[in-house]
Amino acid sequence: MNTTLLRITFLFLFPVLGLFCPAQSGPQITVDAGRTGSAISPTMYGVFFEDINFAADGGLYAELVKNRSFEFDHPLTGWQVMKKPSTKANLLILRDETRERNPRYIRLQLEEGQPFRLHNDGFRGMGIRNGATYRFALQARVIHDDLFTLRIELVDENKNVLAEAQMSNISQEWQTYQCEMQASETAEKGGLNIWIKGQGTLDLDMVSLFPKDTWKGRKNGLRADLVQLLAELQPGFLRFPGGCIVEGFDLSQRYQWKHTIGEPSERILNINRWNFEFKHRLTLDYFQSYGLGFYEFFLLAEDIGAEPMPILNCGMACQFNTAELVSMDDLDPYVQDALDLIEFANGPADSYWGGIRAEMGHPEPFQMNMLGIGNEQWGPQYIERYTVFAAAIQENYPDIQLIAAAGSDATIFPNGQEEIDYLWSQWRNLEPDFVDEHFYRRPEWFLENVDWYDDYNRQGPKVFVGEWASQSVGVASPDNRNTWETALYEAAFMIGLERNADLVRMTCYAPLFAHEEAWQWRPDLIWFDNLRSYGTANYYVQKLFSVNAGTHLLPLQLFDDSHQNEEAKHLFAGAVFDENTGDIIIKVVNATNQSHVVQFELENVEVKETGLVYLLTSESLDDENTLQEPDKIVPQENSIKPESSEFSHEIQPLSLTVLRIPATKR
Ligand code: AHR
């Protein structure tokens, strides 16, 4: 065995198989298809959403106007005012305390009938598409019976008008005025003009512009191309809303789901913690409008067939920031938020919170089964708070599965491993359903730790690998790239996650989205600008695992007599059975620079039909997908016709290969 490379997927379930060692040279993969092992959770592969890198406002949320309600710290952020020097006009910021959740609006006092223009430049410009229809809306009123005419224009970066519409007859009561416009050209960095003509006083608020073509054509909707990329991952769950954004820089800035539901104009704007988190990537115009709020997250999860997985603040602000704690005496409202959220998601339409969901358009429950208590929390203060949450939830909703944190990545928070060991010792007693572990490490770490979970303690909670990604330079370094090396080594690590699917029940890459011009953290799974989007090589690794997850593990052995050097250790394989299709699915990661003709043997099945092979590879480990070359590293699909249950297939250098072989059990 000293020169024979041996990888056994079922160390725990099938230990005796290690005794068998075939004579052939060259790598051989043997799968015993007659012995299905642990079930793979249908929620094994999911997605992690956090509003970082303009993932929500300026990204997935299709609103094109930045600071539509004038509630940013600087009320005119995103807005420019243009008037002729001779125009007599005042622009005032007013505050109406009776409009508690959205108190500010602007007042325009025009003394002459001269044109006055407001311009909004969106989120690093507005993406406008030739032929597309846009919905413009604003809230307005006049004082007395003043007369105003508004001309709405969509313009490109050179001020050419791409679409226009007129509005008039503004009443003395606040009302919403809407119109639609069709663009005659495309602009990546377009903008919105509101030309105002009249005399007197005009109040404006909630100035909004959406493409009509949102995901499923919904109003207040999401960017269709970005949701499409998510849907194609076929995720088992959608984790939201984060990430550290759950915790906030301090507790006043924490994520409060109740601030994110109801009419968009009634959602309470909050600063985004990524606004000022990284001094090297300050993003001072980054706020949370919550137009994409908890209702929309639940709807999105439903649309893409994912289980909703909200993560709630547990009375602790980010421990990398202020680490504020709510006192135990004041914890009740936080716990009540969790109970109310369960009612909002799952309660009948005649319950209080279920009624609000129904009013928003979804009388049927969302069927939420999981809830995270805290994000990257650690220390005895966390245990103390978690315990109160868990008791209340278990008493009222015993079926809800709870997720507890195991701190942050052990290498980046103070005394990381010690803290994690302490948390696990607590979790083994308190028994949350899942413990959320995070890994942000160098690519080689993922390659060298494929066996990370093989010997894990299997007593107690299951593992949720809830945030992880290979960092090509360093944790959250601005120089990190989504290289093929990072993706390939992640694929190797996923072979290890999958073969431990009895313990690791869920996993998701983080973060999910990044705007090309407005990111704070890289690498990320999906990149976009105002018009385009693409999946990284890491995205396609996630996708190949997710759409080929299968339903049950199969015992697999990988032998390699011919390659006795260190490099040959970098060949990894795992097998699963898909009871829905009858396919045997074998995933092979070749992290070496040479191709291998692998002999496959599928035991206890007959193989007759043509199967499929997906190949993800690239020549260089430095390669990456970009906006200019979004398809440089994408899976290629081919058919495979094995002559029998023993066949060979050449595994390409630096590749992830997925074979789907239809088979009949003997
Ligand atoms: O994924 C980015 C950040 O990394 C998350 O907000 C946080 O949970 C982790 O530290």
Side-chain angles (χ1 to χ4, degrees), residues 194-432:
I194 306 172
W195 291 94
I196 302 165
K197 220 172 160 184
Q199 195 159 6
T201 301
L202 174 70
D203 292 341
L204 298 177
D205 201 359
M206 287 302 290
V207 183
S208 169
L209 180 74
F210 273 88
K212 201 170 175 185
D213 179 23
T214 55
W215 172 256
K216 289 187 181 268
R218 291 205 182 101
K219 289 191 171 165
N220 194 51
L222 306 182
R223 232 177 98 165
D225 60 329
L226 296 181
V227 181
Q228 186 60 36
L229 280 162
L230 295 186
E232 287 171 13
L233 284 172
Q234 298 179 19
F237 63 88
L238 171 68
R239 172 181 175 155
F240 59 89
C244 292
I245 208 156
V246 169
E247 306 157 23
F249 176 81
D250 61 22
L251 284 171
S252 74
Q253 294 176 6
R254 74 190 188 276
Y255 196 104
Q256 299 189 58
W257 74 268
K258 288 175 182 166
H259 291 181
T260 77
I261 59 166
E263 282 300 314
S265 59
E266 294 290 301
R267 302 183 188 185
I268 303 178
L269 185 117
N270 193 4
I271 194 164
N272 188 306
R273 77 180 298 288
W274 300 104
N275 177 312
F276 52 85
E277 177 68 13
F278 293 138
K279 300 292 166 275
H280 60 277
R281 289 295 294 181
L282 281 181
T283 315
L284 298 176
D285 59 343
Y286 202 179
F287 288 76
Q288 301 175 83
S289 74
Y290 293 134
L292 166 53
F294 259 42
Y295 176 80
E296 290 77 17
F297 280 125
F298 280 114
L299 210 54
L300 172 63
E302 183 174 84
D303 285 351
I304 61 178
E307 288 229 10
M309 183 201 284
I311 309 287
L312 292 185
N313 186 295
C314 64
M316 300 175 78
C318 182
Q319 287 168 268
F320 290 110
N321 298 148
T322 61
E324 264 182 9
L325 293 169
V326 77
S327 78
M328 292 304 289
D329 292 343
D330 295 331
L331 188 62
D332 278 1
Y334 291 71
V335 177
Q336 193 58 47
D337 274 0
L339 298 174
D340 293 343
L341 176 65
I342 301 169
E343 185 176 293
F344 177 74
N346 293 352
D350 60 4
S351 62
Y352 179 78
W353 289 103
I356 292 177
R357 180 197 69 236
E359 243 173 63
M360 290 185 74
H362 204 285
E364 295 307 319
F366 279 120
Q367 308 198 342
M368 163 184 141
N369 297 314
M370 297 181 273
L371 181 61
I373 306 301
N375 176 47
E376 282 185 341
Q377 265 52 77
W378 62 85
Q381 297 77 12
Y382 176 38
I383 301 295
E384 207 181 356
R385 283 159 185 76
Y386 172 89
T387 307
V388 178
F389 273 84
I393 295 167
Q394 279 155 3
E395 187 187 334
N396 291 281
Y397 299 102
D399 293 338
I400 292 289
Q401 296 185 303
L402 294 181
I403 302 168
S408 181
D409 181 301
T411 61
I412 59 178
F413 71 109
N415 306 323
Q417 197 51 53
E418 235 171 81
E419 292 283 4
I420 292 178
D421 293 345
Y422 163 75
L423 288 167
W424 265 106
S425 69
Q426 298 294 314
W427 298 141
R428 293 198 198 286
N429 291 329
L430 292 168
E431 296 189 329

Side-chain angles (χ1 to χ4, degrees), residues 121-132:
D121 54 13
F123 300 89
R124 310 294 182 270
M126 294 179 183
I128 311 280
R129 280 179 210 282
N130 183 7

Side-chain angles (χ1 to χ4, degrees), residues 48 50 52 243-244 274 320 375-376 408 438 440 467 510-511 521:
F48 163 98
E50 174 165 20
I52 182 173
C244 292
W274 300 104
F320 290 110
N375 176 47
E376 282 185 341
S408 181
H438 296 182
Y440 290 106
E467 286 187 35
W521 178 301

Side-chain angles (χ1 to χ4, degrees), residues 604-618:
N604 296 314
V605 280
E606 287 189 16
V607 172
K608 287 193 195 118
E609 290 168 50
T610 303
L612 289 172
V613 184
Y614 301 97
L615 172 65
L616 188 65
T617 186
S618 202

Side-chain angles (χ1 to χ4, degrees), residues 12 38-46 237 424 433-439 449-468 493-508 545 549 551 553:
F12 311 101
S38 294
I40 297 163
S41 168
T43 55
M44 180 74 181
Y45 300 108
F237 63 88
W424 265 106
D433 297 275
F434 305 100
V435 174
D436 175 11
E437 301 205 322
H438 296 182
F439 301 94
N449 286 280
V450 174
D451 58 357
W452 184 259
Y453 286 106
D454 288 356
D455 297 324
Y456 236 62
N457 184 341
R458 274 158 160 81
Q459 302 305 310
K462 302 291 182 195
V463 171
F464 167 35
V465 188
E467 286 187 35
W468 67 283
F493 188 64
M494 289 177 86
I495 296 273
L497 296 182
E498 193 169 271
R499 75 171 172 229
N500 285 287
D502 63 306
L503 172 73
V504 178
R505 304 298 284 169
M506 296 183 289
T507 154
C508 51
F545 274 80
T551 55
L553 293 178

Side-chain angles (χ1 to χ4, degrees), residues 1 3 62 82 116 162-163 202 231 322 340 348 377 382 404 527 577 607 618 637 639:
M1 291 283 277
T3 57
M82 204 280 305
F116 179 97
L162 310 181
L202 174 70
T322 61
D340 293 343
Q377 265 52 77
Y382 176 38
W527 286 82
F577 174 65
V607 172
S618 202
E637 181 183 315
S639 57

